[in-house]
């Protein structure tokens, strides 16, 4: 799996193959009867036959390996440190961060037993913060020195050295650029691999997100795409001024009403089988190349994620994308629960108000099991940071 900043944890349990609903509209996000306790920190997902406007399907049986734009790279960049194993992977963008952030993200992941690929875009070695180079080598990170040509703040494109030819896309934001990195890294994986794409700065782990997967050689290739929502009780697309803006301004005002009451899907965490992540990345890139939201003043990629999911663009004849509401599944995205605009009576500490910390301080899913991956933890910085650095991250 891979994490991206700059700025799985899938159980093959029979319950995960049984859709709970084919519509998001009849699902109560606070209905705990839908949460089935399990031995792992995984709960039953909600499989959404998304199609608020139109259900789209496309075949994934023949996965195209050439990029969405440009020729297949034959002389592209290689890892500065580490090497790909071709097994499972986590992707992230980790440029310009101090070593403490690596200890939280990489350190916690290694501490809880993940031995496969952590693929990161990092600063060039001469620009790394103190201790980062030694740490990524020590923890066997697949690290790509990442640099860009820019024409102003957050208006950049890949240097020629990355693909081995000029970036075929125009200047754009980092939120858009990172999908070209994912596309490039996917060439090193195969139909048995699972990939987790994450934000880097605000993520840590309490277990391996792939712990429930069978051994690589026993897996049957399939289309399995997982997206993860923020807390629906306090945040919807319509009541969030940013998410509603990203959808309406980018895709047009008529695009917002059909999905305004839905949970916000975070673009900072997406997981799936190789063929599903391949299809997801290509779909995101194609939409970005076509719609170009950044030219409409939208820097974020989250508008694409929500519009495409709720309009069925991630669905295929081989399977549909599955939405995990906050507190279910391998990624627990907790930021909205302490959002700036959330009324005071609807928020409070994770332990006494939300009641999702156990006696040792670990963050819990709704079924009482420990979340494998905790995202947007920094919104509770004063509550979590010292515990995280003393208990969870590596030494």
């Amino acid at each position: 799996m891979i994490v991206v900043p700059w700025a799985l944890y899938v159980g093959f349990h029979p319950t995960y193959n049984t859709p709970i609903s084919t519509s998001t509209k009849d699902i109560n996000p606070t209905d705990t009867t839908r949460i089935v306790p399990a031995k792992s920190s995984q709960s039953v997902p909600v499989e959404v036959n998304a199609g608020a406007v139109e259900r789209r399907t496309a075949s994934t049986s023949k996965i195209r390996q050439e990029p969405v734009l440009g020729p297949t790279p034959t002389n592209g960049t290689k890892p500065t440190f580490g090497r790909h194993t071709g097994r499972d992977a986590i992707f992230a963008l980790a440029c310009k961060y101090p070593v403490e952030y690596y200890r939280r993200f990489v350190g916690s992941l290694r501490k809880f037993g993940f031995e496969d690929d952590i693929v990161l875009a990092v600063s060039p070695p001469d620009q790394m913060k103190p201790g980062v180079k030694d740490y990524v080598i020590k923890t066997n990170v697949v690290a790509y020195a990442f640099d860009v040509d820019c024409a102003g703040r957050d208006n950049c494109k890949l240097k020629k050295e990355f693909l081995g030819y000029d970036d075929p896309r125009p200047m754009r934001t980092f939120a858009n650029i990172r999908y070209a990195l994912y596309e490039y890294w996917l060439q090193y994986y195969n139909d048995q691999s699972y990939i987790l794409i994450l934000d880097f700065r605000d993520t840590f782990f309490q277990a391996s997100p792939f712990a429930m997967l069978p051994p690589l050689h026993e897996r049957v290739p399939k289309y399995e795409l997982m997206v993860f929502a923020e807390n629906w009780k306090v945040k919807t697309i319509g009541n969030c001024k940013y998410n509603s803006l990203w959808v309406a301004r980018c895709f047009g005002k008529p695009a917002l009403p059909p999905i305004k009451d839905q949970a916000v899907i975070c673009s900072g965490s997406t997981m799936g089988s190789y063929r599903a992540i391949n299809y997801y990345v290509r779909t995101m890139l194609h939409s970005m190349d076509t719609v170009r939201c950044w030219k409409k003043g939208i820097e974020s990629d989250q508008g694409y994620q929500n519009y495409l999911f709720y309009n069925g663009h991630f669905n295929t004849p081989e399977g549909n994308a599955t939405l995990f509401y906050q507190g279910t599944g391998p990624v627990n995205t907790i930021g909205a629960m302490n959002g700036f605009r959330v009324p005071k009576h609807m928020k409070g500490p994770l332990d006494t108000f939300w009641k999702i910390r156990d006696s040792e301080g670990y963050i819990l899913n709704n079924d009482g099991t420990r979340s494998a991956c905790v995202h947007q933890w920094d919104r509770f910085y004063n509550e979590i940071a010292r515990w995280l650095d003393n208990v969870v991250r590596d030494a």
Side-chain angles (χ1 to χ4, degrees):
M1 304 188 170
I2 304 175
V3 181
V4 180
W6 201 2
L8 247 169
Y9 194 91
V10 175
F12 287 145
H13 189 282
T15 55
Y16 299 131
N17 296 320
T18 304
I20 293 178
S21 174
T22 56
S23 171
T24 57
K25 295 180 180 179
D26 62 347
I27 299 169
N28 178 357
T30 61
D31 182 0
T32 57
T33 64
R34 297 184 182 274
I35 307 305
V36 178
K39 293 182 179 178
S40 66
S41 52
Q42 175 102 357
S43 300
V44 176
V46 178
E47 184 172 338
V48 179
N49 194 359
V53 177
E54 179 183 0
R55 185 175 185 270
R56 305 294 182 90
T57 62
S59 176
T60 61
S61 58
K62 293 183 179 180
I63 299 174
R64 294 177 56 204
Q65 297 301 322
E66 64 270 23
V68 172
L69 282 182
T72 300
T74 58
N75 192 32
T77 189
K78 304 297 182 185
T80 306
F81 306 110
R83 64 180 182 84
H84 296 271
T85 67
R87 298 191 293 264
D88 296 327
I90 295 173
F91 295 169
L93 181 58
C95 302
K96 299 185 178 295
Y97 291 119
V99 70
E100 287 78 11
Y101 289 61
Y102 287 81
R103 287 177 174 148
R104 291 166 179 164
F105 185 90
V106 177
S108 63
L109 192 53
R110 293 296 191 217
K111 179 175 181 177
F112 289 104
F114 182 69
E115 298 179 349
D116 290 338
D117 296 356
I118 303 173
V119 185
L120 303 179
V122 301
S123 301
D126 63 345
Q127 299 177 30
M128 286 180 172
K129 304 290 186 181
V132 170
K133 176 181 176 180
D134 290 341
Y135 191 79
V136 298
I137 294 173
K138 170 188 171 183
T139 53
N140 197 29
V141 167
V142 182
Y144 281 80
F146 177 63
D147 205 357
V148 289
D149 291 319
C150 299
R153 181 179 178 274
D154 205 14
N155 185 34
C156 307
K157 62 192 306 183
L158 296 170
K159 285 186 174 293
K160 182 176 182 179
E161 292 77 14
F162 191 85
L163 296 172
Y165 54 80
D166 290 333
D167 188 345
R169 294 182 169 87
M171 296 285 184
R172 56 205 187 277
T173 67
F174 287 109
N176 290 266
I177 288 175
R178 62 185 184 173
Y179 289 85
L181 305 183
Y182 305 148
E183 182 186 52
Y184 185 84
W185 291 335
L186 280 168
Q187 68 181 299
Y188 296 102
Y189 298 92
N190 59 72
D191 247 350
Q192 276 68 45
S193 302
Y194 269 69
I195 309 293
L196 175 57
I197 296 172
L198 287 170
D199 286 336
F200 181 81
R201 177 186 56 81
D202 57 357
T203 302
F204 70 88
F205 298 86
Q206 302 180 138
S208 168
F210 305 106
M212 296 304 294
L213 290 171
L216 201 73
H217 67 278
E218 295 181 7
R219 299 178 193 170
V220 176
K222 61 193 298 188
Y223 183 95
E224 186 164 25
L225 183 66
M226 291 161 276
V227 296
F228 304 95
E230 301 183 40
N231 187 279
W232 198 7
K233 182 178 180 181
V234 301
K235 187 176 184 180
T236 65
I237 293 173
N239 73 15
C240 174
K241 75 172 189 177
Y242 295 110
N243 283 277
S244 58
L245 174 70
W246 295 336
V247 171
R249 180 180 291 179
C250 189
F251 295 95
K253 290 183 179 180
L256 180 60
I259 65 174
K260 67 181 180 64
D261 294 327
Q262 302 294 351
V264 171
I265 299 169
C266 181
S267 61
S269 56
T270 304
M271 180 176 169
S273 61
Y274 168 80
R275 61 178 59 190
I277 290 294
N278 186 301
Y279 186 78
Y280 161 78
V281 169
R282 297 177 66 82
T283 302
M284 290 286 282
L285 282 170
H286 179 74
S287 184
M288 291 172 180
D289 293 340
T290 304
V291 183
R292 298 190 175 189
C293 296
W294 69 88
K295 288 186 174 292
K296 305 173 185 179
I298 304 299
E299 78 287 350
S300 176
D301 56 339
Q302 195 152 290
Y304 297 97
Q305 181 102 343
N306 282 274
Y307 176 84
L308 293 172
F309 173 80
Y310 285 117
N311 286 279
H313 289 266
F314 298 141
N315 293 342
T316 78
E318 296 182 33
N320 294 342
T322 299
L323 170 60
F324 286 82
Y325 289 101
Q326 184 272 318
T328 67
V331 178
N332 192 351
T333 303
I334 63 175
M337 296 155 70
N338 199 32
F340 179 73
R341 292 173 178 79
V342 176
K344 289 185 178 181
H345 73 278
M346 296 180 68
K347 62 183 179 180
L350 291 171
D351 51 1
T352 57
F353 183 84
W354 291 105
K355 301 184 186 305
I356 60 166
R357 298 188 76 179
D358 66 17
S359 60
E360 297 180 59
Y362 288 89
I363 310 301
L364 304 176
N365 275 8
N366 294 343
D367 63 359
T369 57
R370 291 176 179 177
S371 309
C373 176
V374 180
H375 184 210
Q376 297 182 353
W377 71 267
D378 62 331
R379 279 62 159 183
F380 291 89
Y381 187 91
N382 291 336
E383 185 176 346
I384 293 178
R386 180 174 294 184
W387 169 84
L388 170 60
D389 290 339
N390 289 337
V391 177
V392 176
R393 79 167 203 189
D394 74 337

